Amino acid sequence: MGEEGKSKKSKGKEGKGNFQLKTPKGTRDWQGEDVVLREQIFSTITDVFKRHGGVTIDTPVFELRDTLTGKYGEDSKLIYDLADQGGEICSLRYDLTVPFARFLAQNATQNIKRYHIAKVYRRDQPAMTKGRMREFYQCDFDIAGAYDPMLPDAEILRVIKEVFEGLPGWKGKFTIKINHRKILDGIFQICGVPEDKIRTISSAVDKLDKSPWDEVRREMVDEKGLEPAIADKIWEYVQLKGGREIVTQLQEKPEVVANESAKQGLEDMAILCDYLAIFDVLPQLSIDMSLARGLDYYTGVIYEVVTEGSAPKVTSANAAKKEKKPKKSNDPDEDRSNDPTLGVGSVAAGGRYDELVGMFSGKPIPCVGISFGVDRIFSITKARNTETVVRKTEVDVFVMAFGGGKDFTGLLPERMETAKQLWDAGIKTEFTWKAKPKWQKEFQVSEKGGIPWAVILGDDELKQGKVKLKELGLEEGHPEKNGVLVDKANLVQELKERLARGKSESAELPDRTVA
C-alpha cells in the first residue's frame, strides 16, 4: 500500500474511532421537562423586570479583549479568549455587566433601566448537577443614572424579593446577604491592611461562606503576605451579621465612625434600611460583614442571594475526620458535582458600580444592578419539585377520531378542519399525523404530553353536527368522565369557557410553561 493509501486509511480510522459525540465540558443540551422549567424561570424573572419598567437590550456574545481586561480581579483568569480573527483580539463575555457599561459609554446613554437575558462564559471548574457551568444564562436588571442616594438600590432589592417569591418553592427559603464596599474598605483600613492589598484581601474574605476562618486566614498570611495580627483583627469585624442593628453597632464604634469610608458606607446603609422597611424587604435581609464580592468594579452596596444548598454541607469536626475526602485532581476541566466541599453557590448577586462606565468614556455614570444565575436557580428548583408533574408542551386540546372496522376512514380531513378552527381561535391544538390512527394511540399521545382536553370526532356525531369534548384524567365516577356532546358550531366558545375556568383540580396539570 502506498503512502497516500496509508494516510487515507489512518485519517478514516481517526475520524470514526476517536471522534466522540458529546457536549464540551461544562455545557449541556436542554430538552423535555428541563426546558419547560427553565422557561418558567425566565418568564417569572422577565415579568418582574417589566413590572418595574425595564427595557431590554442585546449585546454581542464576544467583546474586544481590552473591554473585559482588568474588570474582574482574580476571576480574570476564567475569561475565555478567542483566536485572532482579522486583527481583532476578542473574548467571550464573562458577564452582562461589563458589556452593559461599554454599551452606555459607546452610546452616551445617561439614564436607563435595562434588563438583559443571555448566555455568558467562564472557564471555571464545572459542577454540572449544582448549576456550576461554563456556558450559562444570566438575567440582569440594572439602573443607570444619577438619582438620590439609595433609591435605585432599594428598588433593585425589591426586584430580588419579587423574583424569588414568584418562583415555585422559593418563598421563605432565600436570604439576601448585603454589605457595602466602603464599610468593608474602611474596616480593612482600620485593621491596617496596606492599600495595595485591600482588593486581594477582599477576595479572601469573600470565601468565608464556603471555607473556615483558619483556611482563609492562612491564605491571607501565607499566600498574600498579610501580618497575622492584622488578619486576626479583621476576623473580629467579619463575624458580624444580622439585621439593621449591625449598622447601629458599627456606628457606635469610635474607630469605625472616625474612618471616612466606613462612616459614609454606614450612612448609606441606614438610609437603605429605611427604604427597605417601606418595600417590605428587611425580613429577607442579612447584613453580613464577611460578604466582599470578588469583582473589582463594585463601589458601594453589594449583595448576593443564598438558599439551602448554596453552601456545601457542614459536618462536625469528628465526622469530617472520618469522612472520605474526594481525591484532589489537578485537572481544571474535571466535573466536581460529587465534591461534598462544593455547594451550588449564590443564586443571584450584584451591587453598585459607579466607576465602571467611566473606565471606558472618562465620564462616570452611576449604576446599580442584580444578576440572576438561572442554571443555579434551576438546579435547586428542580430538586425541590421532584413530585410535581410538568407539562412538556402548552397544547390544551388534542383532536382525535373514534371508530374502527373496515369502513373507518380515520376522519383525517375532519380532524384537520377542526384543528384549523381551533388554531384560528388561538387555542393550542394538536392532532395525529396518521390517516387512520388507532384511538388508543391517540389517548397515549395526549396523556404523555399532559394535554388536558380532547375533542373526539365520530361519524354518527358529525352527522348530527356535534363533537365530543372530553376532559382527560377525570376520576372514575365523575359525571363527565366519558365526555360531553357539544354542537360543533359552539366548540370554540365552549372550550374557551372551560379553559378559562380551569375545570376540576383533579385533572388540572400545573402549566409551568411560558404563556
Side-chain angles (χ1 to χ4, degrees):
M1 184 184 292
E3 291 300 319
E4 185 179 350
K6 289 180 181 178
S7 175
K8 285 183 179 179
K9 185 176 180 180
S10 173
K11 186 176 181 181
K13 184 178 180 181
E14 180 183 351
K16 291 183 179 179
N18 296 335
F19 182 71
Q20 187 178 5
L21 283 173
K22 63 183 290 291
T23 59
K25 290 181 179 179
T27 67
R28 60 164 292 187
D29 292 324
W30 291 82
Q31 62 179 325
E33 295 178 2
D34 287 354
V35 175
V36 175
L37 178 54
R38 189 176 70 170
E39 287 300 316
Q40 189 202 11
I41 294 170
F42 285 145
S43 179
T44 300
I45 294 173
T46 303
D47 286 347
V48 176
F49 290 169
K50 291 179 179 179
R51 187 184 307 149
H52 286 264
V55 296
T56 191
I57 68 167
D58 195 14
T59 63
V61 73
F62 53 90
E63 296 275 350
L64 295 177
R65 188 181 300 172
D66 289 344
T67 299
L68 306 181
T69 301
K71 313 299 189 303
Y72 301 109
E74 294 182 3
D75 284 349
S76 291
K77 63 181 181 291
L78 304 180
I79 294 175
Y80 265 109
D81 291 328
L82 302 177
D84 184 347
Q85 297 287 343
E88 288 191 335
I89 310 299
C90 298
S91 301
L92 293 176
R93 60 189 172 204
Y94 175 91
D95 65 5
L96 301 178
T97 305
V98 171
F100 175 55
R102 190 266 307 153
F103 170 90
L104 293 175
Q106 184 176 335
N107 294 283
T109 303
Q110 296 296 315
N111 299 278
I112 189 173
K113 187 186 285 187
R114 87 83 164 89
Y115 71 90
H116 190 184
I117 299 177
K119 288 181 177 180
V120 298
Y121 300 85
R122 298 182 185 179
R123 200 185 187 286
D124 203 355
Q125 191 166 11
M128 298 297 289
T129 62
K130 296 177 180 178
R132 291 173 171 263
M133 304 166 73
R134 289 179 167 180
E135 177 191 66
F136 56 96
Y137 272 99
Q138 285 188 339
C139 298
D140 280 24
F141 186 85
D142 294 78
I143 300 173
Y147 302 98
D148 285 350
M150 310 317 294
L151 282 168
D153 310 69
E155 184 161 353
I156 292 287
L157 289 158
R158 172 68 193 190
V159 165
I160 297 171
K161 173 188 169 78
E162 290 181 21
V163 165
F164 284 103
E165 289 194 342
L167 291 170
W170 281 82
K171 192 167 186 177
K173 295 183 180 180
F174 66 94
T175 300
I176 306 171
K177 293 168 61 174
I178 189 169
N179 200 357
H180 198 298
R181 265 286 170 83
K182 289 183 178 178
I183 299 174
L184 198 60
D185 289 353
I187 287 172
F188 289 154
Q189 292 166 4
I190 294 165
C191 294
V193 177
E195 197 68 27
D196 62 345
K197 289 185 183 293
I198 284 181
R199 287 282 76 85
T200 187
I201 295 303
S202 289
S203 296
V205 167
D206 199 47
K207 297 174 183 175
L208 282 170
D209 63 334
K210 47 188 173 289
S211 301
W213 167 246
D214 289 346
E215 193 172 317
V216 173
R217 184 183 185 277
R218 182 195 57 75
E219 180 182 331
M220 288 180 176
V221 175
D222 296 346
E223 296 179 20
K224 298 183 174 177
L226 195 66
E227 291 292 329
I230 296 176
D232 293 337
K233 195 168 183 181
I234 290 173
W235 177 234
E236 296 176 14
Y237 285 99
V238 297
Q239 293 181 78
L240 294 173
K241 64 181 65 177
R244 64 190 303 171
E245 73 277 0
I246 298 298
V247 176
T248 305
Q249 288 178 25
L250 288 171
Q251 286 178 322
E252 291 173 351
K253 293 179 180 288
E255 70 274 17
V256 174
V257 293
N259 180 278
E260 189 58 35
S261 177
K263 180 183 177 183
Q264 186 177 343
L266 287 166
E267 289 173 354
D268 284 348
M269 288 290 283
I271 296 170
L272 181 62
C273 285
D274 289 340
Y275 294 158
L276 294 181
I278 298 171
F279 282 164
D280 193 29
V281 180
L282 280 182
Q284 290 78 37
L285 208 67
S286 172
I287 299 173
D288 190 333
M289 289 298 110
S290 70
L291 177 65
R293 303 292 300 147
L295 302 181
D296 279 359
Y297 52 65
Y298 290 123
T299 57
V301 170
I302 49 177
Y303 32 77
E304 66 180 26
V305 181
V306 295
T307 186
E308 183 181 354
S310 289
K313 292 181 180 179
V314 178
T315 56
S316 65
N318 292 333
K321 289 179 182 178
K322 295 178 182 178
E323 187 175 318
K324 194 173 182 180
K325 294 184 178 179
K327 292 181 180 179
K328 286 192 174 181
S329 172
N330 293 324
D331 181 6
D333 300 315
E334 183 180 0
D335 187 275
R336 295 179 63 197
S337 293
N338 296 322
D339 186 347
T341 67
L342 190 71
V344 171
S346 62
V347 290
R352 176 160 286 279
Y353 51 101
D354 287 345
E355 299 170 6
L356 186 56
V357 179
M359 291 184 183
F360 297 117
S361 66
K363 298 177 181 179
I365 297 176
C367 297
V368 62
I370 179 66
S371 178
F372 296 90
V374 171
D375 297 277
R376 295 183 181 189
I377 293 171
F378 166 85
S379 66
I380 291 175
T381 305
K382 184 178 180 181
R384 288 176 178 170
N385 292 276
T386 54
E387 297 180 359
T388 303
V389 178
V390 179
R391 289 178 57 186
K392 295 182 178 66
T393 75
E394 295 184 46
V395 173
D396 290 319
V397 181
F398 196 91
V399 179
M400 58 181 71
F402 189 83
K406 62 180 182 179
D407 295 329
F408 178 61
T409 65
L411 301 174
L412 177 60
E414 291 83 356
R415 284 186 287 129
M416 293 176 69
E417 191 276 330
T418 302
K420 173 194 173 295
Q421 179 186 8
L422 298 181
W423 290 334
D424 287 345
I427 296 173
K428 300 163 187 173
T429 306
E430 278 190 334
F431 66 96
T432 299
W433 298 326
K434 288 185 75 69
K436 295 178 66 173
K438 295 180 179 179
W439 63 266
Q440 297 95 331
K441 290 286 186 183
E442 293 179 301
F443 274 108
Q444 288 175 8
V445 171
S446 59
E447 287 174 1
K448 187 176 180 181
I451 299 172
W453 292 92
V455 172
I456 304 172
L457 310 184
D459 284 321
D460 294 339
E461 290 83 1
L462 286 173
K463 289 175 183 176
Q464 302 172 39
K466 295 182 181 294
V467 297
K468 183 173 283 189
L469 183 57
K470 177 177 171 59
E471 184 174 2
L472 302 176
L474 291 177
E475 298 174 351
E476 290 294 336
H478 193 284
E480 295 187 0
K481 173 68 176 176
N482 294 321
V484 294
L485 283 175
V486 299
D487 289 334
K488 193 171 184 297
N490 297 332
L491 176 61
V492 167
Q493 181 181 348
E494 186 72 26
L495 259 174
K496 283 189 171 182
E497 289 177 359
R498 289 176 178 256
L499 288 170
R501 290 201 300 268
K503 283 299 289 175
S504 64
E505 293 183 2
S506 61
E508 185 178 11
L509 292 170
D511 188 351
R512 292 163 64 183
T513 59
V514 179

